[in-house]
Every structure is written in C-alpha cells, then in structure tokens.
Amino acid sequence: MSAQLSQNLLLAVPLAPLAGAIAAGFFGKQIGRRGAHTLTILGVLIAFIISAMTLKSVAIDGARFNQTVYEWMVLGGLKMEVGFLVDGLTAMMMCVVTFVSLMVHIYTIGYMEEDPGYQRFFAYISLFTFSMLMLVMSNNMLQLFFGWEAVGLVSYLLIGFWYTKPTAIFANMKAFLVNRVGDFGFILGIGLLVAYGGSLSYAETFAKAGELAQIKFPAPLWGSDWMMLSVACICLFIGAMGKSAQFPLHVWLPDSMEGPTPISALIHAATMVTAGIFMVARMSPLFELSDTALNFVLVIGAITALFMGFLGIIQNDIKRVVAYSTLSQLGYMTVALGASAYSVAVFHLMTHAFFKALLFLGAGSVIIGMHHDQDIRNMGGLRKYMPITWITSLLGSLALIGTPLFSGFYSKDSIIEAVHASHLPGAQFAYFAVIVGVFVTAFYSFRMYFLVFHGKEHFHHKPFPGEHDHHDDHGAHHEPHESPWVVTAPLILLAIPSVVIGYLTIQPMLFGDFFKDAIFVNHEVHHAMEELAHEFHGAVAMATHGLTALPFWLALGGVVTAYVFYMVVPSIPATIARVFKPVVNVLENKYYMDWINENIFAAAARAIGVGLWKGGDAALIDGVLINGSARAVGGIAGLVRRVQTGHLYWYALVMILGVIGLMTWQLWPYIGPQFRALAGF
C-alpha cells in the first residue's frame, strides 16, 4: 500500500472542513469575517490537496484503502463503524467535491460580501463539504446513511439561509419533506440488505451478492415471487430519486434556488444531487443482478432527462434555467446507470460538476452585475460590460450542449451510445428521450445565453425586485459591471476543466482500469460498455466522428433555433406561446406536480392525520378508553354513594334484608315446591 494513503491523512480530508465549520459557526463573532473565510477556505484547501495526492496514488501507484477507523458499537454480530474505502471512484469524487467546494468558498467572499449572515454561511458550506466527504469515503452503509442525512440537513439550512423570506422557508421545508420520502425508501433498502446479508460493510455485502440474488419473497398481490435484491435495489434507488431529484421527487430542486447562488453551485450542480448517482454506482455489484431494478432506473432517468429539459425552455429566472438543466443532466446520468454504463454515469457526473458549477457561478456573477435582478428579460448585451463572465459562461454552455472536444461532449455522447447499445426493454424509450434532450438542452442553454449576453440592452428600465433586499438599493438602472476577482477567478479555474477534462480522462475512466475494482458490470448480460470500447479509437477520433453524428446536428439545430427565435425574429416565441397556449400552461405549471403533491398526496396525508387524531386519539383513546373508564367509575361511585347514607337504622334494615335474602336463597329448594303449590302453579 502506498504511504500516501495513511489513515491519518485520510482522516484529515473530512475533518479539516469540519474544523473550519466549527470555527466559523461557534466563534464567528470573535474571529470576524476575515477569520471565518480564511479558516474555512484553509480547511477545504487542505482537503483538496490531500484528495489530489490520494487521486495520484490511486491512479498512478494503484494504492487502495479499506479499513475501519473507529468501531463505536457491536450489536449482536453487526458492527457499527466509521471506516474509509478509497478506490478510483472515491478518489475522483473526493477531488470533485473539494475542488468545486474550494471554488465556491472563494467565490462566496465576493458574492456574500454585504450579507449579515457571512460567518454563518461559511460555517454551513464547510459543514456541507464535511458531510459530503463522509458520504463518498464511507466503506459501510451506516456511514453512507450518516453522510446522506447530513447533506440533507445542511442543504435545508442553506436553502432557508435567508430565513426572513417566506419563499425561502417554504422551499427548504419542501426540500426536507420530499427528501424524507426518498430517504424512507433508502433506509428500507439498507434494512433489507442488512437483514439478509448480516453486515453493514460494502465488501461483505457485495461478497454475498450471489446468495442475496437467490432470496425471494411471495408476491403480496399478484404474479410470481419477487426477488429480494430487486426490491432492495429499487428501495435504494428511491433514496437516490429524492437526493438526485429524479421524477417525481424532483419538485424540491427548482424551488431550492431561493438560497444564495453559491449554494446552487455547491449543492445543486456538483455534490449533493450527485450523491444518488454515486451511491448507485457504488452498489453496482447488487444492481447488476437485477434487470428489474435497472429497467426502473432507466425509465425514471429518461423521463427526467426529457421532461425536465422542456421546463427549462420557458423559465425567465436565470438560476431556474440552470436548475432545470441540472435536473435534465441528472436524468442523463441515471439513464447511464440503468444501461449498466456506471463508469459513463460517473464520468458525466465529473464533467457536469465543473461546467454546471461554472454556469451557476456565472449566473451569480450576472446577478451581481445586474444589481440582483434575476430576470433574463431585463438583461441583454452584457458581453461588453462583463467580458470574463461572458466568455466563461459561453465555454460552460458549449460544454453543456456537448460540443465536440469539450468535456460534456465525451460524457454525453457516451451516455447516448451506451443506451443505444443496451438491450433492456426500457432502452428504446430512453434512447428517444436522450436524443430529443440534446436539441432541448441546446435550445434552452443558448436561449439564456443570447438573452443575457447579446441583443438589445433591457436594463435601463424600472428596477426589478432583487434577490434579497439588503444587498443593493441602487436598482437595476445603473450600468452592469464585471464582478470582483474573487468571483471571476473561480469562473476561470472552473472553465479550464469544463473544456479539457473530458478529453484528458475518457480513456482511463471509461476504457482503462481506473474503476476496475470500484464498479462491477456483468458483461455477459449487459453489453453496453463492451460495444462502446469496441467503437472507441481515441479522444480525437471520437470528436471527429462526433461532428458527423446525430447529436451534434441536433445540438447545432437547437443553438440556431434559439438564435433565430430570440435574436433575429423575437416575435416567433410569442406567436408559438399563443398558438400552443394549453401546452405552455402545462409547462408553466410544471406538469401540475406541485398541485398534485399539495392537493392529493399532502391533502391525503393531512386527512389521514386528522382522522387518526380526531377518530383514533380524541374519540377512541381519549373518549372511550380514558374518559369512558373515568365516567364508568364515576357512575358506579354515584350508585354506591346513594347507599352510603350514614344512618344506623338504614344499615340495620339493609342487614336484616340481607339475612332474609340469604336464608331464602338457602331454603328455597325445600320451600319452593310448597310455595308453587300454594300459588297454584
């Protein structure tokens, strides 16, 4: 084992951001703003440097680490531990999380400059980094679940960061509740694996995968028996649907834009929402044994990739366009998982982390330049005012739509080809969804790009209500300006990998042995990766071939359409919106998912709650059992009280009557016949 992968060094990776979070959170007033950002950035920088060293050791020296760091409880034969598993998948995720987090920390200095919650914000984003690192570095399901819940908690705190805004509080509660639904499935999946596998450890559970695949449940309602592993994998994926915002548990992510822009880049582009993708890739030895689960993953991913992209077309808030783009791209990653192309999904996760963080931070830079106006209809012509933001946003957009040689091209086209090669029943629908999604992505990305950076200037109007009211009272009628260097430097540093990272890493990550012991694929049944490897002749050849392939022409068509619609003949979109008013209504209401959730699921849950409260608790438990028994005792006591008069003659009479009654009962067998005879019976 390489010396670099020492336990202490690995421990420093999550603990350094945690130390920064504690310093900024508990001692923020004492250390001040400068102290808060210095300590948290230092913590994340240490984590990034060690993560980069770890990646080098794993990729070049072949180093691996899978050990328990601390055992805190043994329950029967079940060990509850804190432990780290470091292989290609972990090392790559550690670098992505720490690098994007570092860029966001630096960017935040400029973005949150005037915010009164400055130290609190730095404490939250450092705590988030710690939580995410614990999740990706875990070697057991208990620690995975700890990290999973911790990132959910911190995202709740960050989305509702401006806690005086009612919309922010509504959004963070929505995120929290929707994730509870997913996490219920997640913990059921872990519970099934632990109950039948007898261990929380990944390695031990994966070693028993073959045995677990033989276990069946009797079908509760119909059909043949259910495979336990299929049920467990689907439950685990329901957890991923919540965290990675897959349909229909996607509804929280667009609303989470209520938080400050830096967290959009941190949570909703690079890290938290990719936790579900990472988890399914990590559990590949189990998912590979269940075609049912893979089909479920494939279809859910395809629905998300296509239908969330459509919603991006009609958004006017700059952050929401990028948010729906994230939903769509997460759908692409999920489709790749369903096609058993786990390495392609993780590859797209990595490339997407860079260009989507870049686009979010670019959007934030535009918001700063526009004095916190987020409506793209109030922008236009910003290219000459914000040259660095313009060029970096253009590079990010080109990567997003899959322009050959850019990072997004290599990962996105690999997903499309992997789905095309899959033989699962859901693959044809998924292929259609991801192909159409290429045009849709290009259209909404460049619609936003053209409206923001080109065309007529629309910002010399009445100020649009800002993102928050304590930043700037000058209004949007001032000229836009380029952002300070703490904002533009992260944009430049994120733009570089957005362009080159795919070209540099596609060979080792998809067709080399970088993920050899982290991801398992049953090639006898699932051929997608083999077919991709057969067709791959190098990164340059792939880009050259990409220029003639269908996705490139669809992307180009999307860009040209956006240019014609919004730059050349801007009356076309209004005409289309008027002609297809019912369709636009459906899109503007987000497929009525919020209405369905609030008026059907939430209303049903409330009705059940009210029924249990009024019928079960108030009527049955309080009314019958508690108050009813009290009333019965009171009634009996009332009767007894009438007998207890306290007068001696009354007690004597009762005693005499009692003696007469007792004697009559004893003598009745003898005197009864005579009495009946006298009475004539």
Side-chain angles (χ1 to χ4, degrees), residues 299-326:
V299 171
I300 292 290
I303 292 169
T304 309
L306 182 60
F307 289 96
M308 295 307 110
F310 287 146
L311 293 182
I313 295 172
I314 57 135
Q315 299 300 317
N316 293 313
D317 182 315
I318 188 168
K319 282 167 66 178
R320 282 179 182 262
V321 178
V322 191
Y324 280 109
S325 163
T326 301

PDB file of all heavy atoms in Angstrom, residues 299-326:
ATOM      1  N   VAL A 299     -35.913   3.984 -16.979  1.00  0.00           N
ATOM      2  CA  VAL A 299     -37.135   4.693 -17.378  1.00  0.00           C
ATOM      3  C   VAL A 299     -37.299   5.996 -16.583  1.00  0.00           C
ATOM      4  O   VAL A 299     -37.625   7.047 -17.151  1.00  0.00           O
ATOM      5  CB  VAL A 299     -38.374   3.781 -17.210  1.00  0.00           C
ATOM      6  CG1 VAL A 299     -39.663   4.567 -17.412  1.00  0.00           C
ATOM      7  CG2 VAL A 299     -38.302   2.623 -18.204  1.00  0.00           C
ATOM      8  N   ILE A 300     -37.043   5.933 -15.273  1.00  0.00           N
ATOM      9  CA  ILE A 300     -37.148   7.151 -14.449  1.00  0.00           C
ATOM     10  C   ILE A 300     -36.148   8.200 -14.949  1.00  0.00           C
ATOM     11  O   ILE A 300     -36.469   9.391 -15.075  1.00  0.00           O
ATOM     12  CB  ILE A 300     -36.895   6.822 -12.960  1.00  0.00           C
ATOM     13  CG1 ILE A 300     -38.027   5.970 -12.387  1.00  0.00           C
ATOM     14  CG2 ILE A 300     -36.695   8.104 -12.136  1.00  0.00           C
ATOM     15  CD1 ILE A 300     -39.344   6.669 -12.216  1.00  0.00           C
ATOM     16  N   GLY A 301     -34.930   7.780 -15.247  1.00  0.00           N
ATOM     17  CA  GLY A 301     -33.905   8.693 -15.749  1.00  0.00           C
ATOM     18  C   GLY A 301     -34.305   9.324 -17.073  1.00  0.00           C
ATOM     19  O   GLY A 301     -34.106  10.525 -17.293  1.00  0.00           O
ATOM     20  N   ALA A 302     -34.892   8.505 -17.961  1.00  0.00           N
ATOM     21  CA  ALA A 302     -35.294   9.004 -19.289  1.00  0.00           C
ATOM     22  C   ALA A 302     -36.405  10.046 -19.169  1.00  0.00           C
ATOM     23  O   ALA A 302     -36.373  11.096 -19.827  1.00  0.00           O
ATOM     24  CB  ALA A 302     -35.756   7.834 -20.155  1.00  0.00           C
ATOM     25  N   ILE A 303     -37.391   9.775 -18.300  1.00  0.00           N
ATOM     26  CA  ILE A 303     -38.486  10.743 -18.086  1.00  0.00           C
ATOM     27  C   ILE A 303     -37.907  12.064 -17.577  1.00  0.00           C
ATOM     28  O   ILE A 303     -38.265  13.148 -18.049  1.00  0.00           O
ATOM     29  CB  ILE A 303     -39.519  10.176 -17.078  1.00  0.00           C
ATOM     30  CG1 ILE A 303     -40.265   8.982 -17.697  1.00  0.00           C
ATOM     31  CG2 ILE A 303     -40.511  11.260 -16.649  1.00  0.00           C
ATOM     32  CD1 ILE A 303     -41.110   8.201 -16.707  1.00  0.00           C
ATOM     33  N   THR A 304     -36.987  11.971 -16.605  1.00  0.00           N
ATOM     34  CA  THR A 304     -36.400  13.187 -16.020  1.00  0.00           C
ATOM     35  C   THR A 304     -35.586  13.949 -17.058  1.00  0.00           C
ATOM     36  O   THR A 304     -35.694  15.179 -17.166  1.00  0.00           O
ATOM     37  CB  THR A 304     -35.503  12.816 -14.814  1.00  0.00           C
ATOM     38  OG1 THR A 304     -36.241  11.971 -13.930  1.00  0.00           O
ATOM     39  CG2 THR A 304     -35.063  14.056 -14.061  1.00  0.00           C
ATOM     40  N   ALA A 305     -34.764  13.233 -17.825  1.00  0.00           N
ATOM     41  CA  ALA A 305     -33.882  13.879 -18.807  1.00  0.00           C
ATOM     42  C   ALA A 305     -34.684  14.686 -19.824  1.00  0.00           C
ATOM     43  O   ALA A 305     -34.318  15.815 -20.169  1.00  0.00           O
ATOM     44  CB  ALA A 305     -33.034  12.830 -19.521  1.00  0.00           C
ATOM     45  N   LEU A 306     -35.793  14.126 -20.302  1.00  0.00           N
ATOM     46  CA  LEU A 306     -36.558  14.790 -21.361  1.00  0.00           C
ATOM     47  C   LEU A 306     -37.509  15.857 -20.812  1.00  0.00           C
ATOM     48  O   LEU A 306     -37.475  17.021 -21.227  1.00  0.00           O
ATOM     49  CB  LEU A 306     -37.342  13.745 -22.163  1.00  0.00           C
ATOM     50  CG  LEU A 306     -38.154  14.281 -23.342  1.00  0.00           C
ATOM     51  CD1 LEU A 306     -37.249  14.977 -24.347  1.00  0.00           C
ATOM     52  CD2 LEU A 306     -38.923  13.155 -24.028  1.00  0.00           C
ATOM     53  N   PHE A 307     -38.337  15.470 -19.847  1.00  0.00           N
ATOM     54  CA  PHE A 307     -39.430  16.357 -19.441  1.00  0.00           C
ATOM     55  C   PHE A 307     -38.957  17.516 -18.567  1.00  0.00           C
ATOM     56  O   PHE A 307     -39.574  18.579 -18.558  1.00  0.00           O
ATOM     57  CB  PHE A 307     -40.539  15.553 -18.762  1.00  0.00           C
ATOM     58  CG  PHE A 307     -41.291  14.690 -19.740  1.00  0.00           C
ATOM     59  CD1 PHE A 307     -40.957  13.361 -19.918  1.00  0.00           C
ATOM     60  CD2 PHE A 307     -42.294  15.231 -20.523  1.00  0.00           C
ATOM     61  CE1 PHE A 307     -41.627  12.576 -20.841  1.00  0.00           C
ATOM     62  CE2 PHE A 307     -42.974  14.454 -21.451  1.00  0.00           C
ATOM     63  CZ  PHE A 307     -42.638  13.117 -21.614  1.00  0.00           C
ATOM     64  N   MET A 308     -37.873  17.335 -17.835  1.00  0.00           N
ATOM     65  CA  MET A 308     -37.338  18.471 -17.069  1.00  0.00           C
ATOM     66  C   MET A 308     -36.644  19.466 -18.011  1.00  0.00           C
ATOM     67  O   MET A 308     -36.613  20.662 -17.743  1.00  0.00           O
ATOM     68  CB  MET A 308     -36.357  17.993 -15.996  1.00  0.00           C
ATOM     69  CG  MET A 308     -37.003  17.147 -14.915  1.00  0.00           C
ATOM     70  SD  MET A 308     -38.435  17.947 -14.140  1.00  0.00           S
ATOM     71  CE  MET A 308     -39.778  16.943 -14.754  1.00  0.00           C
ATOM     72  N   GLY A 309     -36.085  18.950 -19.114  1.00  0.00           N
ATOM     73  CA  GLY A 309     -35.487  19.837 -20.114  1.00  0.00           C
ATOM     74  C   GLY A 309     -36.521  20.769 -20.724  1.00  0.00           C
ATOM     75  O   GLY A 309     -36.277  21.965 -20.916  1.00  0.00           O
ATOM     76  N   PHE A 310     -37.724  20.231 -21.004  1.00  0.00           N
ATOM     77  CA  PHE A 310     -38.795  21.060 -21.573  1.00  0.00           C
ATOM     78  C   PHE A 310     -39.098  22.254 -20.666  1.00  0.00           C
ATOM     79  O   PHE A 310     -39.392  23.355 -21.138  1.00  0.00           O
ATOM     80  CB  PHE A 310     -40.079  20.238 -21.753  1.00  0.00           C
ATOM     81  CG  PHE A 310     -40.021  19.259 -22.894  1.00  0.00           C
ATOM     82  CD1 PHE A 310     -40.677  18.030 -22.818  1.00  0.00           C
ATOM     83  CD2 PHE A 310     -39.321  19.568 -24.052  1.00  0.00           C
ATOM     84  CE1 PHE A 310     -40.632  17.126 -23.872  1.00  0.00           C
ATOM     85  CE2 PHE A 310     -39.279  18.668 -25.113  1.00  0.00           C
ATOM     86  CZ  PHE A 310     -39.928  17.446 -25.020  1.00  0.00           C
ATOM     87  N   LEU A 311     -39.047  22.025 -19.343  1.00  0.00           N
ATOM     88  CA  LEU A 311     -39.375  23.112 -18.408  1.00  0.00           C
ATOM     89  C   LEU A 311     -38.332  24.221 -18.444  1.00  0.00           C
ATOM     90  O   LEU A 311     -38.631  25.373 -18.119  1.00  0.00           O
ATOM     91  CB  LEU A 311     -39.507  22.563 -16.978  1.00  0.00           C
ATOM     92  CG  LEU A 311     -40.679  21.617 -16.733  1.00  0.00           C
ATOM     93  CD1 LEU A 311     -40.726  21.187 -15.279  1.00  0.00           C
ATOM     94  CD2 LEU A 311     -42.007  22.262 -17.113  1.00  0.00           C
ATOM     95  N   GLY A 312     -37.087  23.880 -18.823  1.00  0.00           N
ATOM     96  CA  GLY A 312     -36.041  24.895 -18.913  1.00  0.00           C
ATOM     97  C   GLY A 312     -36.313  25.923 -19.995  1.00  0.00           C
ATOM     98  O   GLY A 312     -35.840  27.058 -19.922  1.00  0.00           O
ATOM     99  N   ILE A 313     -37.112  25.528 -20.999  1.00  0.00           N
ATOM    100  CA  ILE A 313     -37.361  26.403 -22.158  1.00  0.00           C
ATOM    101  C   ILE A 313     -38.146  27.660 -21.773  1.00  0.00           C
ATOM    102  O   ILE A 313     -37.941  28.728 -22.342  1.00  0.00           O
ATOM    103  CB  ILE A 313     -38.127  25.622 -23.252  1.00  0.00           C
ATOM    104  CG1 ILE A 313     -37.241  24.493 -23.800  1.00  0.00           C
ATOM    105  CG2 ILE A 313     -38.599  26.531 -24.362  1.00  0.00           C
ATOM    106  CD1 ILE A 313     -37.959  23.543 -24.731  1.00  0.00           C
ATOM    107  N   ILE A 314     -39.052  27.524 -20.793  1.00  0.00           N
ATOM    108  CA  ILE A 314     -39.981  28.638 -20.527  1.00  0.00           C
ATOM    109  C   ILE A 314     -39.609  29.448 -19.286  1.00  0.00           C
ATOM    110  O   ILE A 314     -40.333  30.347 -18.897  1.00  0.00           O
ATOM    111  CB  ILE A 314     -41.430  28.124 -20.391  1.00  0.00           C
ATOM    112  CG1 ILE A 314     -41.503  27.071 -19.275  1.00  0.00           C
ATOM    113  CG2 ILE A 314     -41.963  27.571 -21.697  1.00  0.00           C
ATOM    114  CD1 ILE A 314     -42.651  27.242 -18.356  1.00  0.00           C
ATOM    115  N   GLN A 315     -38.467  29.116 -18.644  1.00  0.00           N
ATOM    116  CA  GLN A 315     -38.084  29.853 -17.431  1.00  0.00           C
ATOM    117  C   GLN A 315     -37.466  31.205 -17.784  1.00  0.00           C
ATOM    118  O   GLN A 315     -36.733  31.322 -18.762  1.00  0.00           O
ATOM    119  CB  GLN A 315     -37.069  29.033 -16.617  1.00  0.00           C
ATOM    120  CG  GLN A 315     -37.583  27.691 -16.150  1.00  0.00           C
ATOM    121  CD  GLN A 315     -38.800  27.811 -15.260  1.00  0.00           C
ATOM    122  OE1 GLN A 315     -38.861  28.660 -14.377  1.00  0.00           O
ATOM    123  NE2 GLN A 315     -39.793  26.964 -15.497  1.00  0.00           N
ATOM    124  N   ASN A 316     -37.737  32.191 -16.955  1.00  0.00           N
ATOM    125  CA  ASN A 316     -37.142  33.518 -17.154  1.00  0.00           C
ATOM    126  C   ASN A 316     -36.184  33.916 -16.042  1.00  0.00           C
ATOM    127  O   ASN A 316     -35.448  34.883 -16.178  1.00  0.00           O
ATOM    128  CB  ASN A 316     -38.253  34.575 -17.283  1.00  0.00           C
ATOM    129  CG  ASN A 316     -39.056  34.383 -18.557  1.00  0.00           C
ATOM    130  OD1 ASN A 316     -38.485  34.194 -19.630  1.00  0.00           O
ATOM    131  ND2 ASN A 316     -40.370  34.392 -18.438  1.00  0.00           N
ATOM    132  N   ASP A 317     -36.206  33.181 -14.943  1.00  0.00           N
ATOM    133  CA  ASP A 317     -35.242  33.411 -13.860  1.00  0.00           C
ATOM    134  C   ASP A 317     -33.946  32.697 -14.237  1.00  0.00           C
ATOM    135  O   ASP A 317     -33.941  31.495 -14.488  1.00  0.00           O
ATOM    136  CB  ASP A 317     -35.816  32.850 -12.549  1.00  0.00           C
ATOM    137  CG  ASP A 317     -34.899  33.098 -11.358  1.00  0.00           C
ATOM    138  OD1 ASP A 317     -33.680  32.881 -11.500  1.00  0.00           O
ATOM    139  OD2 ASP A 317     -35.398  33.476 -10.284  1.00  0.00           O
ATOM    140  N   ILE A 318     -32.830  33.439 -14.278  1.00  0.00           N
ATOM    141  CA  ILE A 318     -31.564  32.889 -14.777  1.00  0.00           C
ATOM    142  C   ILE A 318     -31.138  31.640 -14.001  1.00  0.00           C
ATOM    143  O   ILE A 318     -30.613  30.674 -14.570  1.00  0.00           O
ATOM    144  CB  ILE A 318     -30.454  33.976 -14.768  1.00  0.00           C
ATOM    145  CG1 ILE A 318     -29.188  33.488 -15.470  1.00  0.00           C
ATOM    146  CG2 ILE A 318     -30.147  34.454 -13.358  1.00  0.00           C
ATOM    147  CD1 ILE A 318     -28.176  34.592 -15.760  1.00  0.00           C
ATOM    148  N   LYS A 319     -31.396  31.617 -12.671  1.00  0.00           N
ATOM    149  CA  LYS A 319     -30.983  30.460 -11.869  1.00  0.00           C
ATOM    150  C   LYS A 319     -31.890  29.254 -12.114  1.00  0.00           C
ATOM    151  O   LYS A 319     -31.437  28.114 -12.061  1.00  0.00           O
ATOM    152  CB  LYS A 319     -30.976  30.827 -10.379  1.00  0.00           C
ATOM    153  CG  LYS A 319     -29.739  31.628  -9.974  1.00  0.00           C
ATOM    154  CD  LYS A 319     -29.875  32.250  -8.601  1.00  0.00           C
ATOM    155  CE  LYS A 319     -29.944  31.206  -7.521  1.00  0.00           C
ATOM    156  NZ  LYS A 319     -30.018  31.827  -6.182  1.00  0.00           N
ATOM    157  N   ARG A 320     -33.166  29.513 -12.392  1.00  0.00           N
ATOM    158  CA  ARG A 320     -34.077  28.389 -12.610  1.00  0.00           C
ATOM    159  C   ARG A 320     -33.810  27.687 -13.945  1.00  0.00           C
ATOM    160  O   ARG A 320     -34.029  26.480 -14.055  1.00  0.00           O
ATOM    161  CB  ARG A 320     -35.536  28.849 -12.521  1.00  0.00           C
ATOM    162  CG  ARG A 320     -35.978  29.036 -11.085  1.00  0.00           C
ATOM    163  CD  ARG A 320     -37.405  29.508 -10.966  1.00  0.00           C
ATOM    164  NE  ARG A 320     -37.738  29.715  -9.568  1.00  0.00           N
ATOM    165  CZ  ARG A 320     -38.394  28.841  -8.803  1.00  0.00           C
ATOM    166  NH1 ARG A 320     -38.779  27.684  -9.307  1.00  0.00           N
ATOM    167  NH2 ARG A 320     -38.655  29.099  -7.540  1.00  0.00           N
ATOM    168  N   VAL A 321     -33.361  28.439 -14.939  1.00  0.00           N
ATOM    169  CA  VAL A 321     -32.987  27.792 -16.212  1.00  0.00           C
ATOM    170  C   VAL A 321     -31.870  26.781 -15.944  1.00  0.00           C
ATOM    171  O   VAL A 321     -31.928  25.633 -16.382  1.00  0.00           O
ATOM    172  CB  VAL A 321     -32.510  28.832 -17.254  1.00  0.00           C
ATOM    173  CG1 VAL A 321     -32.091  28.134 -18.542  1.00  0.00           C
ATOM    174  CG2 VAL A 321     -33.607  29.849 -17.548  1.00  0.00           C
ATOM    175  N   VAL A 322     -30.869  27.216 -15.186  1.00  0.00           N
ATOM    176  CA  VAL A 322     -29.731  26.330 -14.892  1.00  0.00           C
ATOM    177  C   VAL A 322     -30.179  25.183 -13.988  1.00  0.00           C
ATOM    178  O   VAL A 322     -29.687  24.061 -14.093  1.00  0.00           O
ATOM    179  CB  VAL A 322     -28.566  27.120 -14.252  1.00  0.00           C
ATOM    180  CG1 VAL A 322     -27.314  26.275 -14.200  1.00  0.00           C
ATOM    181  CG2 VAL A 322     -28.273  28.396 -15.034  1.00  0.00           C
ATOM    182  N   ALA A 323     -31.156  25.442 -13.110  1.00  0.00           N
ATOM    183  CA  ALA A 323     -31.663  24.398 -12.212  1.00  0.00           C
ATOM    184  C   ALA A 323     -32.348  23.284 -13.002  1.00  0.00           C
ATOM    185  O   ALA A 323     -32.110  22.096 -12.751  1.00  0.00           O
ATOM    186  CB  ALA A 323     -32.636  24.999 -11.207  1.00  0.00           C
ATOM    187  N   TYR A 324     -33.196  23.658 -13.971  1.00  0.00           N
ATOM    188  CA  TYR A 324     -33.863  22.629 -14.781  1.00  0.00           C
ATOM    189  C   TYR A 324     -32.861  21.898 -15.670  1.00  0.00           C
ATOM    190  O   TYR A 324     -33.019  20.712 -15.962  1.00  0.00           O
ATOM    191  CB  TYR A 324     -35.004  23.242 -15.599  1.00  0.00           C
ATOM    192  CG  TYR A 324     -36.246  23.426 -14.761  1.00  0.00           C
ATOM    193  CD1 TYR A 324     -36.673  24.687 -14.371  1.00  0.00           C
ATOM    194  CD2 TYR A 324     -36.963  22.323 -14.322  1.00  0.00           C
ATOM    195  CE1 TYR A 324     -37.801  24.855 -13.575  1.00  0.00           C
ATOM    196  CE2 TYR A 324     -38.089  22.475 -13.522  1.00  0.00           C
ATOM    197  CZ  TYR A 324     -38.499  23.738 -13.153  1.00  0.00           C
ATOM    198  OH  TYR A 324     -39.600  23.880 -12.352  1.00  0.00           O
ATOM    199  N   SER A 325     -31.825  22.605 -16.079  1.00  0.00           N
ATOM    200  CA  SER A 325     -30.757  21.965 -16.831  1.00  0.00           C
ATOM    201  C   SER A 325     -30.086  20.890 -15.972  1.00  0.00           C
ATOM    202  O   SER A 325     -29.781  19.795 -16.435  1.00  0.00           O
ATOM    203  CB  SER A 325     -29.736  23.033 -17.243  1.00  0.00           C
ATOM    204  OG  SER A 325     -28.538  22.434 -17.615  1.00  0.00           O
ATOM    205  N   THR A 326     -29.879  21.193 -14.681  1.00  0.00           N
ATOM    206  CA  THR A 326     -29.293  20.212 -13.759  1.00  0.00           C
ATOM    207  C   THR A 326     -30.184  18.985 -13.655  1.00  0.00           C
ATOM    208  O   THR A 326     -29.702  17.852 -13.703  1.00  0.00           O
ATOM    209  CB  THR A 326     -29.099  20.846 -12.364  1.00  0.00           C
ATOM    210  OG1 THR A 326     -28.254  21.974 -12.492  1.00  0.00           O
ATOM    211  CG2 THR A 326     -28.487  19.859 -11.394  1.00  0.00           C
TER     212      THR A 326
END
